[in-house]
Amino acid sequence: MNTYPAYPDNRFGSQVKRAVLRARDWLDEHGRLAWIAAMIAGFVLFWPLGLFILGYMIWSNRMFGGCHSRARSFNDRRTRFAQPETTGNAAFDAYRDETLKRLEDEHRAFVDFLQKLREARDKAEFDQFMEERKQG
């Protein structure tokens, strides 16, 4: 009789899958140049590996569209204060618009405050330098 289980415990396969996913995430974090370097290294070490990486880059749109995490972070920064679409709830939309306007104003005021703080620090350092120069 065959006593093998129907689905054997494939720990090696799951470890390989986790390693490949970690490598993919690491390459995504480091951008398109890391993917290209990995592809070139794959061609140098074992040409089918380089060909596989090139195919994966094209298939997953990493070659032309950029890496998913970088594109997502760029879009998040670009649309931070952009007006979102309406939700259909007029009261909530008005509250959201008012809150976003208030946050934009606070952000602008904070940036202005930081600029004035830098200018005051620079002036104090310059005045100290001039005082030391007069004494020396």
Side-chain angles (χ1 to χ4, degrees), residues 95-123:
Y95 169 75
R96 182 192 57 208
D97 293 341
E98 182 181 313
T99 302
L100 287 175
K101 184 180 180 316
R102 181 181 52 82
L103 288 173
E104 287 173 356
D105 293 341
E106 287 177 7
H107 174 57
R108 202 171 306 114
F110 183 68
V111 168
D112 292 341
F113 169 74
L114 289 178
Q115 181 64 30
K116 289 177 185 173
L117 195 63
R118 283 187 205 107
E119 289 172 2
R121 187 188 67 218
D122 290 345
K123 183 176 179 344

Side-chain angles (χ1 to χ4, degrees), residues 9 13-14 41 54 56 60 69 72 76 84 100 115-116 118 136:
D9 185 19
S14 64
L54 175 64
Y56 181 75
S60 65
S69 64
R72 195 176 318 118
D76 289 346
L100 287 175
Q115 181 64 30
K116 289 177 185 173
R118 283 187 205 107

Side-chain angles (χ1 to χ4, degrees), residues 7-126:
Y7 299 102
D9 185 19
N10 192 359
R11 291 183 185 165
F12 178 74
S14 64
Q15 289 175 350
V16 170
K17 184 178 178 181
R18 281 194 302 265
V20 168
L21 291 176
R22 277 195 315 264
R24 182 199 63 193
D25 293 341
W26 185 87
L27 288 169
D28 277 348
E29 287 177 12
H30 289 83
R32 189 179 307 159
L33 290 178
W35 277 101
I36 292 172
M39 179 188 59
I40 292 171
F43 275 116
V44 169
L45 296 174
F46 184 61
W47 70 268
L49 178 62
L51 194 61
F52 175 79
I53 294 172
L54 175 64
Y56 181 75
M57 287 172 62
I58 292 171
W59 173 77
S60 65
N61 204 22
R62 282 173 169 78
M63 177 67 91
F64 305 110
C67 296
H68 300 293
S69 64
R70 288 192 176 268
R72 195 176 318 118
S73 67
F74 174 75
N75 287 335
D76 289 346
R77 274 184 269 135
R78 186 172 50 96
T79 61
R80 183 183 312 170
F81 294 118
Q83 292 296 326
E85 297 178 15
T86 62
T87 61
N89 184 337
F92 176 75
D93 289 341
Y95 169 75
R96 182 192 57 208
D97 293 341
E98 182 181 313
T99 302
L100 287 175
K101 184 180 180 316
R102 181 181 52 82
L103 288 173
E104 287 173 356
D105 293 341
E106 287 177 7
H107 174 57
R108 202 171 306 114
F110 183 68
V111 168
D112 292 341
F113 169 74
L114 289 178
Q115 181 64 30
K116 289 177 185 173
L117 195 63
R118 283 187 205 107
E119 289 172 2
R121 187 188 67 218
D122 290 345
K123 183 176 179 344
E125 288 176 359
F126 179 73

Side-chain angles (χ1 to χ4, degrees), residues 1-9:
M1 282 213 112
N2 188 356
T3 59
Y4 294 109
Y7 299 102
D9 185 19

